[in-house]
Amino acid sequence: VAAKRVSLTDVAKTIADCVAERAAAGMNYGIVLLPEGLVEFVHDIAALIVEINAILAKGVSPDNIPEIESMMTEATRATFSSMSVGFQKQFLEDRDPHGNVQVAHIECEKLLVAMVEHELKQRKKAGTFSGKFSGISHYMGYE
């Protein structure tokens, strides 16, 4: 994932492709397993984490989302702004003793379910997906 500079959107679209292919074959069911820590290696999210760490290290309050966004690069701001406030807060609030994001606390699985749902709704509107999708996430990490 890191070597190929895969984005979180790429991961969501790949999952949506699998769901659509299975649905076309009449299999509206399945399981997707994601490795813990995947979010650290997805290139746009890794860049977001680095920028947030640097911004918060300057003393900016994690509650001041508009100021944080104003200090981000355009690409990182676009990634951050595409998330719901709930997911944004996961990147801002849970810090380790060194001030870094606690990646294990980011609900990557829920974020991906939401992104896949959005992608499949877009495909349904375009007439390229007619299957069903009801994502249910479950975290089985060890931390």
Side-chain angles (χ1 to χ4, degrees), residues 22 26 34 61 85 93 98 103 116 122 133:
R22 290 179 59 79
L34 302 170
S61 169
V85 173
E93 292 178 351
H98 305 287
V103 178
V116 170
Q122 296 300 103
F133 179 74

PDB file of all heavy atoms in Angstrom, residues 22 26 34 61 85 93 98 103 116 122 133:
ATOM      1  N   ARG A  22     -19.197  -9.273  -6.897  1.00  0.00           N
ATOM      2  CA  ARG A  22     -19.910 -10.348  -6.203  1.00  0.00           C
ATOM      3  C   ARG A  22     -21.417 -10.190  -6.368  1.00  0.00           C
ATOM      4  O   ARG A  22     -22.135 -11.163  -6.578  1.00  0.00           O
ATOM      5  CB  ARG A  22     -19.522 -10.401  -4.727  1.00  0.00           C
ATOM      6  CG  ARG A  22     -18.084 -10.883  -4.505  1.00  0.00           C
ATOM      7  CD  ARG A  22     -17.706 -10.901  -3.040  1.00  0.00           C
ATOM      8  NE  ARG A  22     -18.580 -11.766  -2.267  1.00  0.00           N
ATOM      9  CZ  ARG A  22     -18.498 -13.101  -2.209  1.00  0.00           C
ATOM     10  NH1 ARG A  22     -17.557 -13.723  -2.903  1.00  0.00           N
ATOM     11  NH2 ARG A  22     -19.331 -13.799  -1.477  1.00  0.00           N
ATOM     12  N   GLY A  26     -24.671 -12.546  -8.021  1.00  0.00           N
ATOM     13  CA  GLY A  26     -25.740 -12.956  -7.108  1.00  0.00           C
ATOM     14  C   GLY A  26     -25.287 -13.212  -5.690  1.00  0.00           C
ATOM     15  O   GLY A  26     -26.021 -13.791  -4.898  1.00  0.00           O
ATOM     16  N   LEU A  34      -9.271  -6.211   7.170  1.00  0.00           N
ATOM     17  CA  LEU A  34      -8.285  -5.146   7.025  1.00  0.00           C
ATOM     18  C   LEU A  34      -7.237  -5.308   8.115  1.00  0.00           C
ATOM     19  O   LEU A  34      -7.578  -5.527   9.271  1.00  0.00           O
ATOM     20  CB  LEU A  34      -8.955  -3.774   7.190  1.00  0.00           C
ATOM     21  CG  LEU A  34     -10.096  -3.462   6.236  1.00  0.00           C
ATOM     22  CD1 LEU A  34     -10.803  -2.196   6.664  1.00  0.00           C
ATOM     23  CD2 LEU A  34      -9.562  -3.337   4.827  1.00  0.00           C
ATOM     24  N   SER A  61      -4.907  24.228  19.399  1.00  0.00           N
ATOM     25  CA  SER A  61      -5.874  23.397  20.110  1.00  0.00           C
ATOM     26  C   SER A  61      -6.516  22.390  19.158  1.00  0.00           C
ATOM     27  O   SER A  61      -6.945  22.758  18.059  1.00  0.00           O
ATOM     28  CB  SER A  61      -6.975  24.270  20.717  1.00  0.00           C
ATOM     29  OG  SER A  61      -8.039  23.461  21.189  1.00  0.00           O
ATOM     30  N   VAL A  85     -17.019  15.089  10.965  1.00  0.00           N
ATOM     31  CA  VAL A  85     -16.393  15.696  12.143  1.00  0.00           C
ATOM     32  C   VAL A  85     -15.973  14.615  13.148  1.00  0.00           C
ATOM     33  O   VAL A  85     -14.923  14.710  13.774  1.00  0.00           O
ATOM     34  CB  VAL A  85     -17.327  16.734  12.803  1.00  0.00           C
ATOM     35  CG1 VAL A  85     -16.763  17.247  14.111  1.00  0.00           C
ATOM     36  CG2 VAL A  85     -17.582  17.898  11.845  1.00  0.00           C
ATOM     37  N   GLU A  93      -7.821  14.233  18.609  1.00  0.00           N
ATOM     38  CA  GLU A  93      -7.953  14.213  20.064  1.00  0.00           C
ATOM     39  C   GLU A  93      -7.150  13.148  20.782  1.00  0.00           C
ATOM     40  O   GLU A  93      -6.638  13.386  21.853  1.00  0.00           O
ATOM     41  CB  GLU A  93      -9.433  14.116  20.434  1.00  0.00           C
ATOM     42  CG  GLU A  93     -10.173  15.384  20.050  1.00  0.00           C
ATOM     43  CD  GLU A  93     -11.654  15.331  20.335  1.00  0.00           C
ATOM     44  OE1 GLU A  93     -12.174  14.250  20.673  1.00  0.00           O
ATOM     45  OE2 GLU A  93     -12.298  16.385  20.213  1.00  0.00           O
ATOM     46  N   HIS A  98       3.754  11.295  23.587  1.00  0.00           N
ATOM     47  CA  HIS A  98       4.680  12.096  22.784  1.00  0.00           C
ATOM     48  C   HIS A  98       3.953  13.087  21.878  1.00  0.00           C
ATOM     49  O   HIS A  98       4.579  13.788  21.096  1.00  0.00           O
ATOM     50  CB  HIS A  98       5.575  11.182  21.945  1.00  0.00           C
ATOM     51  CG  HIS A  98       6.313  10.178  22.761  1.00  0.00           C
ATOM     52  ND1 HIS A  98       7.376  10.505  23.578  1.00  0.00           N
ATOM     53  CD2 HIS A  98       6.104   8.848  22.925  1.00  0.00           C
ATOM     54  CE1 HIS A  98       7.800   9.420  24.198  1.00  0.00           C
ATOM     55  NE2 HIS A  98       7.049   8.404  23.824  1.00  0.00           N
ATOM     56  N   VAL A 103      -2.948   5.750  16.386  1.00  0.00           N
ATOM     57  CA  VAL A 103      -3.508   5.177  15.167  1.00  0.00           C
ATOM     58  C   VAL A 103      -4.478   4.032  15.475  1.00  0.00           C
ATOM     59  O   VAL A 103      -5.487   3.873  14.791  1.00  0.00           O
ATOM     60  CB  VAL A 103      -2.376   4.709  14.224  1.00  0.00           C
ATOM     61  CG1 VAL A 103      -2.934   4.076  12.972  1.00  0.00           C
ATOM     62  CG2 VAL A 103      -1.486   5.893  13.868  1.00  0.00           C
ATOM     63  N   VAL A 116     -17.209   3.204   1.222  1.00  0.00           N
ATOM     64  CA  VAL A 116     -17.714   2.197   0.283  1.00  0.00           C
ATOM     65  C   VAL A 116     -19.203   2.429   0.044  1.00  0.00           C
ATOM     66  O   VAL A 116     -19.674   2.371  -1.101  1.00  0.00           O
ATOM     67  CB  VAL A 116     -17.426   0.760   0.781  1.00  0.00           C
ATOM     68  CG1 VAL A 116     -18.161  -0.284  -0.065  1.00  0.00           C
ATOM     69  CG2 VAL A 116     -15.929   0.488   0.778  1.00  0.00           C
ATOM     70  N   GLN A 122     -23.133   6.184  -5.428  1.00  0.00           N
ATOM     71  CA  GLN A 122     -22.803   6.908  -6.663  1.00  0.00           C
ATOM     72  C   GLN A 122     -22.945   5.974  -7.870  1.00  0.00           C
ATOM     73  O   GLN A 122     -23.466   6.377  -8.908  1.00  0.00           O
ATOM     74  CB  GLN A 122     -21.377   7.472  -6.609  1.00  0.00           C
ATOM     75  CG  GLN A 122     -21.145   8.510  -5.533  1.00  0.00           C
ATOM     76  CD  GLN A 122     -22.054   9.714  -5.697  1.00  0.00           C
ATOM     77  OE1 GLN A 122     -23.035   9.867  -4.999  1.00  0.00           O
ATOM     78  NE2 GLN A 122     -21.722  10.553  -6.640  1.00  0.00           N
ATOM     79  N   PHE A 133     -25.775  -3.536  -0.332  1.00  0.00           N
ATOM     80  CA  PHE A 133     -24.610  -3.434   0.540  1.00  0.00           C
ATOM     81  C   PHE A 133     -25.067  -2.926   1.894  1.00  0.00           C
ATOM     82  O   PHE A 133     -25.740  -1.911   2.002  1.00  0.00           O
ATOM     83  CB  PHE A 133     -23.563  -2.479  -0.039  1.00  0.00           C
ATOM     84  CG  PHE A 133     -22.351  -2.325   0.851  1.00  0.00           C
ATOM     85  CD1 PHE A 133     -21.408  -3.332   0.947  1.00  0.00           C
ATOM     86  CD2 PHE A 133     -22.162  -1.176   1.604  1.00  0.00           C
ATOM     87  CE1 PHE A 133     -20.302  -3.210   1.768  1.00  0.00           C
ATOM     88  CE2 PHE A 133     -21.053  -1.036   2.429  1.00  0.00           C
ATOM     89  CZ  PHE A 133     -20.124  -2.059   2.508  1.00  0.00           C
TER      90      PHE A 133
END
